[in-house]
Amino acid sequence: MKNPKKLPLIFLITLVGSLLLLYWFGERWLRVMLLYLSTAVWAQYLVTQTGLAWRVASRFIAGETVDDAIAAARTVNSRGLAATLNYLGEHVHTPQEAANARDEIVRLLDCIHQSGVEANVSVKPSQLGLNIDPVLLYENLHVVLDRARQTNNRVRIDMEESSTVDTTLGIYRRLRDDDGYGRHVGVVIQAYLFRSAQDIAALVAEGAWVRLCKGAYAEPPEVAFPQKADTDASFVQLAQTMLSAGARQRGVFPCFATHDETMVQAIRQFVQVQQIPLDAFEFQMLYGIRRELQEQLAAQGYRVRVYIPYGTAWYPYFVRRLAERPANLWFFIGNLLR
Ligand SMILES: Cc1cc2nc3c(=O)[nH]c(=O)nc-3n(C[C@H](O)[C@H](O)[C@H](O)COP(=O)(O)OP(=O)(O)OC[C@H]3O[C@@H](n4cnc5c(N)ncnc54)[C@H](O)[C@@H]3O)c2cc1C
């Protein structure tokens, strides 16, 4: 780049363009634009080189080191909430990068064990080599799960783009069943995908440890509901399947990852009517988002887990959070201008 001082300005111009999109075409197009920016190398370069964006990003991210993550988990625990720690990073390009991420995650499991915080771990498949070679992902997860078993902990495999779902589920099942990691490994299903009703039915029959979320990526209308209302309806329906008596008999422990009060309320009503014990499932929310709702639910006796990311590769995670809520974007721009 010829003039790094102009970089924030260029990104700002792009954001203003996004806001004009919002004005002319509505929130859906703004989200599409931001999700594009979350994967654009040029935008990542512009934002992360300046250091300005970290001021805002740090609201969603515990810090850069494993010590920061453990400290955040301790704070979250002191508020009556459990944690899941995530070493940031995705779409690595070389086996060495995937191995580095694997080693950091093993170290994270050790640190959780030594510190005694109430936390498990979430990992992204593309961080451990999915896009290089699925065998590499499988082998790296094997190493991570060995340490999870040794330290009596659990690892959740996050779900990424729809094109990766089959491979991710295949590797998850192989590790869970063939390699015997059983309850040490879990997976995620995204309510916005058409296929998810079938996936949830199968996973429930297998007694799997599943997190349900709405889905955070830009997906074409051939595979995912374009309208939020349809995704919301799907989320509620899948949540009810995960909470059914049959699912609980098979040992399913449902985890509902949402900040949406309508979703939370629908689940609360269902468990009340069905007389499901409050410790038979958990709510999950992201670090820095809807903190008061997290605490309110915990105070009412619900289990709540906070997803705490840390590390230097925060850009894509951060921009996906902007895409989820336009108000975050105003906050971001306000800080850039200050
Ligand atoms: C613990 C956890 C794990 C996740 N794992 C995955 C995964 O593996 N794969 C995947 O695709 N997605 C994952 N997600 C992201 C998820 O798919 C959604 O993109 C995200 O949670 C927003 O959806 P929502 O259910 O909160 O509801 P929305 O309908 O997006 O939002 C409802 C309300 O929640 C609040 N809110 C939502 N997002 C934000 C935000 N960023 N900042 C401030 N307020 C906000 C706002 O008040 C908003 O009006 C995860 C989310 C959580 C909480």
Side-chain angles (χ1 to χ4, degrees), residues 59-60 124 158-159 188 190 192 211 213-217 228 232 257-260 284-286 289-290 307 321 324-325 328:
R59 176 183 154 187
F60 303 112
K124 294 250 179 299
D158 285 354
M159 194 58 81
V188 178
Q190 298 150 320
Y192 63 13
R211 171 198 297 151
C213 66
K214 289 191 188 175
Y217 298 86
K228 175 176 156 52
D232 289 357
T258 182
H259 317 93
D260 189 337
Q284 299 188 345
M285 297 189 200
L286 301 177
I289 300 179
R290 299 306 313 267
Y307 185 109
R321 304 294 78 83
E324 281 158 5
R325 191 164 177 253
N328 289 342

Side-chain angles (χ1 to χ4, degrees), residues 21 83 89 107 113 127 143 155 188 194 235 243 265 293 335:
L21 272 177
R107 202 160 81 82
H113 185 60
Q127 165 182 45
V143 174
V155 174
V188 178
F194 298 145
F235 188 99
L243 284 165
Q265 194 49 29
L293 181 59
N335 270 269

Side-chain angles (χ1 to χ4, degrees), residues 48-97:
T48 54
Q49 288 301 302
T50 66
L52 274 177
W54 173 250
R55 269 213 311 254
V56 183
S58 60
R59 176 183 154 187
F60 303 112
I61 293 143
E64 297 201 337
T65 68
V66 69
D67 290 342
D68 294 330
I70 297 291
R74 204 167 268 129
T75 306
V76 156
N77 288 169
S78 71
R79 291 161 45 215
L81 315 165
T84 183
L85 303 185
N86 169 251
Y87 174 56
L88 287 162
E90 48 197 87
H91 297 110
V92 300
H93 299 293
T94 65
Q96 188 55 54
E97 284 176 302

Side-chain angles (χ1 to χ4, degrees), residues 66-250:
V66 69
D67 290 342
D68 294 330
I70 297 291
R74 204 167 268 129
T75 306
V76 156
N77 288 169
S78 71
R79 291 161 45 215
L81 315 165
T84 183
L85 303 185
N86 169 251
Y87 174 56
L88 287 162
E90 48 197 87
H91 297 110
V92 300
H93 299 293
T94 65
Q96 188 55 54
E97 284 176 302
N100 292 345
R102 176 201 65 204
D103 294 346
E104 171 67 22
I105 295 163
V106 166
R107 202 160 81 82
L108 171 62
L109 283 159
D110 286 340
C111 290
I112 292 173
H113 185 60
Q114 283 151 17
S115 66
V117 291
E118 164 61 40
N120 60 35
V121 167
S122 292
V123 301
K124 294 250 179 299
S126 70
Q127 165 182 45
L128 292 173
L130 172 65
N131 301 332
I132 303 168
D133 181 354
V135 175
L136 189 64
L137 168 63
Y138 167 74
E139 288 171 354
N140 284 331
L141 277 171
H142 215 290
V143 174
V144 166
L145 285 166
D146 264 347
R147 189 55 60 94
R149 187 154 54 192
Q150 282 161 19
T151 56
N152 194 24
N153 208 333
R154 304 176 97 181
V155 174
R156 168 97 56 196
I157 309 171
D158 285 354
M159 194 58 81
E160 299 179 278
E161 293 84 356
S162 61
S163 56
T164 67
V165 175
D166 278 327
T167 311
T168 303
L169 286 178
I171 290 175
Y172 158 71
R173 287 188 168 107
R174 187 172 165 199
L175 289 160
R176 185 193 66 195
D177 300 335
D178 303 347
D179 301 337
Y181 288 109
R183 306 296 290 174
H184 290 288
V185 60
V187 77
V188 178
I189 292 295
Q190 298 150 320
Y192 63 13
L193 296 183
F194 298 145
R195 59 174 288 166
S196 290
Q198 265 180 309
D199 286 330
I200 282 289
L203 289 163
V204 158
E206 296 158 17
W209 179 43
V210 185
R211 171 198 297 151
L212 178 67
C213 66
K214 289 191 188 175
Y217 298 86
E219 297 292 353
E222 295 76 41
V223 300
F225 297 110
Q227 303 297 332
K228 175 176 156 52
D230 295 323
T231 298
D232 289 357
S234 164
F235 188 99
V236 173
Q237 200 178 354
L238 299 179
Q240 292 183 355
T241 306
M242 291 165 72
L243 284 165
S244 65
R248 282 180 292 119
Q249 271 157 22
R250 290 188 178 89

